[in-house]
Amino acid sequence: MKRIFMALLVVAVFLAALPAVAQDRPGVPVEPKIIDPSPYYPFRFDVIRVYSHALGYRVLYRKGSSDFADVYIPAGWFKSGGKASLVVADDPAFPSMTIFYKDGAFSHVRLYVRASRKDSTWGLLTEEDPSAKFEVTELKVAF
């Protein structure tokens, strides 16, 4: 009985000393520090529907908690090294959109969509002449 009591006492003292050992000491980092932070700042938006057109995509996204807004992304941006990239998969988190800002200015956008065009999140843009709306140099989003 004495051995069990002594063993429990040793374990209790060891566990009580752990928080003191884990405190920040000079020269001994407790957690890793970010040496080179990224210059990009991402904003993620929940996408309601993506309308495709020969000129690009109209993206209807959630603004705030109960409102909607849209952006027009030109098809010319979806090239290697362009301002936009399209990620296609059957992930339950899709569709969504992430807009990246660098030094407070628009840098690029990443659009995550469902692979099946038969999904309810896809649609066709049927406006008369949307060409003026696709002539943008950067995305202006509403928060």
Side-chain angles (χ1 to χ4, degrees), residues 21-25 27-33:
V21 174
Q23 289 179 356
D24 193 10
R25 296 176 292 180
V28 181
V30 175
E31 59 186 55
K33 304 285 188 233

Side-chain angles (χ1 to χ4, degrees), residues 114-122:
R114 295 276 178 119
S116 174
R117 294 282 179 134
K118 294 180 181 179
D119 192 73
S120 64
T121 58
W122 279 102

Side-chain angles (χ1 to χ4, degrees), residues 33-40:
K33 304 285 188 233
I34 298 175
I35 297 170
D36 188 21
S38 174
Y40 296 101

